Amino acid sequence: MDFDFLIKFSPMFMQATWLTLELAIFGVLFSFIIALFCVSVSFFNFNYLNKICKVYIEFSRNTPLLIQLFFLYYALPEFNIHFSSFVCAIVGLSFLGGSYMAESLRAGIEAIKKQQYESGLSLGLNKWQNFFYVIMPQALGIAMPSISANIIFLLKETSVVSIIALADLVYVAKDLIGLYYKSNEALFALVFCYLILILPLSLILNRIEKRLNYV
């Protein structure tokens, strides 16, 4: 193991780690917004929007992120629509993650007894207040293990964005292997960087799950 090589190129890996973290944060944030919209539409049964959301969820979950990124980065310019690789990566992650998050929240909502909703109405809450103050807090607690898994899944999926020339961790590792043939060192740094991203996140999410179970 060439530790001098690791030290020399550690700034590149640190920069790529930060980029990966940025992509994951934006991807998770927008995924949750999309999911919240989809479950709201489903809960209040907005007919046409509900059908559109169902089509989106099925399409998103049944197509690979790699293909979605190819379409955003290489196919859209053919229609004179241009996005940077960073924007394409966030859109792709959000598009994929939103469907998984929506299904997690939907399962959480369906697990709540009907009496909870009726109790909220009896207290004088309107449908929207009932949804956001009574139903959603309970649904989040129930769905948190699934949501946590989806968050970690999205962080791992950032490894695909190197295909659209975005200098994430995988891109940097492949670049250094191609230039210096230091496969062991580059792969060690790659695994280590993902570990310092995912392990603390996993512990934090696990703590949140336990906290929500106590409430």
Side-chain angles (χ1 to χ4, degrees):
M1 185 70 69
D2 188 350
F3 288 101
D4 290 334
F5 175 86
L6 293 174
I7 293 170
K8 180 180 179 182
F9 291 102
S10 59
M12 289 181 64
F13 279 103
M14 291 303 296
Q15 187 175 359
T17 300
W18 178 249
L19 176 62
T20 299
L21 184 60
E22 278 188 293
L23 290 172
I25 290 172
F26 283 114
V28 169
L29 176 63
F30 291 127
S31 293
F32 194 79
I33 293 172
I34 293 170
L36 191 58
F37 174 79
C38 288
V39 295
S40 299
V41 165
S42 175
F43 186 82
F44 293 106
N45 198 23
F46 294 127
N47 193 20
Y48 294 108
L49 282 177
N50 194 21
K51 290 179 181 178
I52 292 171
C53 287
K54 286 181 179 179
V55 170
Y56 151 68
I57 289 171
E58 290 303 316
F59 179 78
S60 173
R61 294 180 71 196
N62 291 286
T63 53
L65 177 60
L66 183 66
I67 304 302
Q68 295 170 11
L69 291 176
F70 267 125
F71 177 80
L72 290 168
Y73 193 70
Y74 296 107
L76 285 185
E78 296 296 324
F79 302 97
N80 204 28
I81 302 173
H82 300 272
F83 294 115
S84 68
S85 56
F86 184 79
V87 172
C88 286
I90 291 174
V91 172
L93 289 168
S94 303
F95 185 81
L96 178 68
S99 60
Y100 283 94
M101 291 286 191
E103 288 296 279
S104 296
L105 288 177
R106 181 185 61 80
I109 290 171
E110 289 181 352
I112 298 170
K113 294 180 179 179
K114 187 179 179 181
Q115 289 87 336
Q116 294 289 320
Y117 181 73
E118 293 172 347
S119 298
L121 293 178
S122 68
L123 292 172
L125 299 176
N126 62 40
K127 290 183 179 180
W128 287 99
Q129 289 173 328
N130 206 355
F131 178 71
F132 283 106
Y133 297 128
V134 177
I135 303 301
M136 278 308 299
Q138 295 181 74
L140 282 172
I142 295 169
M144 194 60 207
S146 179
I147 291 172
S148 298
N150 288 333
I151 291 172
I152 293 173
F153 164 73
L154 278 180
L155 178 53
K156 291 178 181 179
E157 282 294 285
T158 58
S159 60
V160 181
V161 302
S162 60
I163 201 70
I164 56 173
L166 199 59
D168 72 320
L169 285 166
V170 174
Y171 184 94
V172 169
K174 289 195 300 184
D175 200 31
L176 292 176
I177 290 171
L179 287 172
Y180 300 100
Y181 302 100
K182 296 282 188 177
S183 300
N184 292 336
E185 290 80 1
L187 292 175
F188 173 81
L190 178 64
V191 171
F192 179 76
C193 289
Y194 272 112
L195 190 64
I196 62 174
L197 283 175
I198 295 173
L199 184 58
L201 177 62
S202 180
L203 294 174
I204 291 169
L205 291 172
N206 187 50
R207 187 70 177 268
I208 293 172
E209 288 175 32
K210 290 180 179 179
R211 176 64 179 170
L212 288 175
N213 286 334
Y214 290 140
V215 176

